[in-house]
Amino acid sequence: MAVTGRLGLLALLAAPVVGLLLPGWAGIGLAAAVLLLLVVLDLLLAGSVRRLRFARSGATSVRLGEACEVTLTVANPGGRPVRAKLRDAWPPSAGADDRHRLSLPAGERRVVTTRLLPTRRGDRRAARVTVRSVGPLGLAARQGSHDVPWTVRVLPPFHSRKHLPSRLARLQQLDGRNAVLIRGQGTEFDSLREYVIGDDVRSIDWRASARASDVMVRTWRPERDRQVVLVLDTGRVSAGRVGDAPRLDAAMDAALLLAVLAARAGDRVDLFAYDRQVQAAVQGSTELLPALVNAMAPLEPSLIETDARGMVAEVLRRTRRRALVVLLTGLDAAPLEEGLFPVLSTLTSRHQLVVASVADPRVAEMAAGRGDAEAVYDAAAAERVLAERRQVTARLARHGVEVVDAVPEELPPRLADRYLALKAAGRL
């Protein structure tokens, strides 16, 4: 039972009058009895909270940064009206506008709409619905809570979607739909033409050149129906924050752009997230983008070192034929030295590997600082980090690994460009 401020006001007004009629403690006792009687009467006349019935409907998913609405239908099967305050509680990260006023006559129902503006990815589950039913005098209220389950999945925002049209236009050029042919080692022969400076000498057709008056080269259309395997490292390195978000979020954005582009190119796209075990997987989905964002939405970085040997074994188990494997991880020297490098040759001997990493723009800013002694020390530390990343990149390149190292805003388009370059060169 909750007693409102009106009760205290009534007590202050009633006490002097009753005190004149019945001086002393007896008068005070009578005033308290009168007020208690009014409170009990108000409480008995308040609408029942326990008998209310609830049902939910509305949004079940929303992209991060967008708003959605969840409706709550409240039915009153009792014989008295309910005049109440209602709170539809959600976790703070759901960004819920959760407080409502409710006037519900007996035998009727009302719909309450809660607007959500989530601030984090993942599943946001409704907590409890709490109703405070106030009596007709406003002196007392009944309060109760009900479990009304509902879950809204907050999907990755896919900010890099804006880069898709320009990359699709380049893909159309590679496919020859804009009458542009490529030079490279694709498997689908297209035609012969005269050699020009810059052509790959491996494309020269010596038999055709012997029959012609000039050196002839073969042109190819880019290979289709290749396999692209995206691997999200959800271990410790993905938990580091760059700006306001963990590295994992930027890696997801890059993976989404590449996945959609590769699917439009006619390639098969698979994805799995891994640290010590598979955390999510999408394989051979016909509805690729919805499947990817739903699989990525609940992922969170794990504060453990990734088992690189197990991750490579999982890639080899899932991928029988030669494929493009894109590993989205960090370029920190120590984890790679102990994890990936010992098993790198096992992977690169069977697949084309691309390592994509999220760089912190703050490190480059610190490396340029020279304002005072502290800035110089920061610059030295930042330059050491940059030098280690360059060394790791060079070492990976010696193993035939393509490396894309970029800040969060630049990583998705640069990774997409690298894919297009590999496709144009016939290296998938």
Side-chain angles (χ1 to χ4, degrees):
M1 180 182 72
V3 180
T4 67
R6 194 176 300 182
L7 175 60
L9 178 61
L10 183 57
L12 290 175
L13 295 175
V17 177
V18 177
L20 292 174
L21 298 176
L22 296 173
W25 294 102
I28 296 175
L30 179 60
V34 171
L35 293 178
L36 180 60
L37 179 63
L38 291 175
V39 169
V40 171
L41 179 62
D42 200 34
L43 185 63
L44 291 175
L45 294 176
S48 173
V49 173
R50 291 184 179 180
R51 298 184 65 183
L52 294 178
R53 297 293 180 263
F54 300 87
R56 288 195 187 272
S57 62
T60 56
S61 65
V62 64
R63 289 195 182 278
L64 181 63
E66 298 179 0
C68 68
E69 293 182 345
V70 175
T71 58
L72 181 69
T73 302
V74 188
N76 179 16
R80 291 190 299 272
V82 174
R83 183 167 58 92
K85 294 180 180 179
L86 181 146
R87 187 190 178 202
D88 185 8
W90 291 75
S93 59
D97 183 11
D98 59 1
R99 297 182 185 274
H100 310 276
R101 290 188 177 273
L102 183 66
S103 179
L104 186 57
E108 296 189 13
R109 63 183 63 196
R110 293 288 185 270
V111 175
V112 175
T113 301
T114 299
R115 184 176 184 270
L116 306 180
L117 184 60
T119 57
R120 288 181 57 190
R121 276 186 304 100
D123 291 336
R124 298 292 165 260
R125 294 179 173 84
R128 310 189 79 188
V129 176
T130 301
V131 181
R132 176 176 289 186
S133 176
V134 183
L137 299 177
L139 299 179
R142 299 183 181 191
Q143 180 169 307
S145 296
H146 301 259
D147 289 321
V148 190
W150 193 259
T151 301
V152 174
R153 173 157 289 189
V154 185
L155 307 174
F158 195 11
H159 293 307
S160 61
R161 184 193 296 267
K162 61 186 178 183
H163 299 291
L164 188 58
S166 61
R167 272 62 192 180
L168 289 176
R170 291 178 57 187
L171 180 63
Q172 289 177 350
Q173 292 180 347
L174 291 180
D175 280 342
R177 279 173 273 181
N178 288 350
V180 177
L181 298 177
I182 65 167
R183 303 187 299 266
Q185 298 301 312
T187 58
E188 185 178 348
F189 173 73
D190 184 76
S191 62
L192 293 169
R193 62 168 173 78
E194 294 182 356
Y195 174 87
V196 296
I197 297 176
D199 282 341
D200 190 341
V201 295
R202 293 174 297 178
S203 299
I204 296 175
D205 189 320
W206 296 107
R207 291 185 178 181
S209 299
R211 295 191 300 267
S213 60
D214 204 343
V215 177
M216 306 298 292
V217 296
R218 295 180 179 182
T219 60
W220 310 85
R221 293 190 185 275
E223 298 158 324
R224 302 176 68 85
D225 196 28
R226 303 291 91 183
Q227 187 171 6
V228 179
V229 181
L230 305 175
V231 183
L232 285 173
D233 183 352
T234 57
R236 180 183 59 82
V237 295
S238 68
R241 300 188 72 83
V242 178
D244 296 330
R247 281 186 166 89
L248 180 60
D249 285 29
M252 288 180 181
D253 203 34
L256 287 173
L257 179 62
L258 178 56
V260 174
L261 181 62
R264 295 288 288 272
D267 294 336
R268 168 178 168 167
V269 180
D270 296 334
L271 173 139
F272 70 92
Y274 194 93
D275 42 55
R276 294 291 178 86
Q277 59 184 0
V278 176
Q279 300 297 335
V282 175
Q283 193 164 7
S285 175
T286 55
E287 297 291 335
L288 182 63
L289 184 57
L292 288 176
V293 294
N294 272 289
M296 291 179 180
L299 288 177
E300 295 292 342
S302 302
L303 299 181
I304 56 176
E305 209 67 60
T306 299
D307 177 13
R309 189 176 298 275
M311 181 174 64
V312 170
E314 189 68 25
V315 172
L316 298 178
R317 186 185 70 81
R318 291 171 175 266
T319 313
R320 300 298 182 185
R321 60 175 180 169
R322 183 169 179 81
L324 173 65
V325 178
V326 180
L327 172 59
L328 295 112
T329 186
L331 287 180
D332 301 340
L336 290 178
E337 188 69 36
E338 299 176 2
L340 182 61
F341 280 125
V343 294
L344 186 59
S345 59
T346 305
L347 185 58
T348 55
S349 63
R350 294 180 53 181
H351 303 293
Q352 173 65 55
L353 178 62
V354 175
V355 172
S357 180
V358 181
D360 190 345
R362 178 61 182 152
V363 176
E365 294 174 5
M366 291 173 59
R370 297 293 188 274
D372 51 27
E374 183 178 357
V376 171
Y377 280 113
D378 290 343
E383 194 58 51
R384 179 176 179 179
V385 171
L386 294 175
E388 288 181 350
R389 293 177 77 89
R390 288 192 293 268
Q391 291 174 0
V392 169
T393 299
R395 185 173 176 185
L396 288 170
R398 288 196 294 270
H399 286 84
V401 179
E402 299 279 335
V403 179
V404 180
D405 184 19
V407 297
E409 295 79 13
E410 298 178 6
L411 182 63
R414 287 183 56 180
L415 181 58
D417 290 343
R418 187 64 57 92
Y419 164 78
L420 292 172
L422 290 171
K423 202 167 188 65
R427 294 176 56 191
L428 297 190

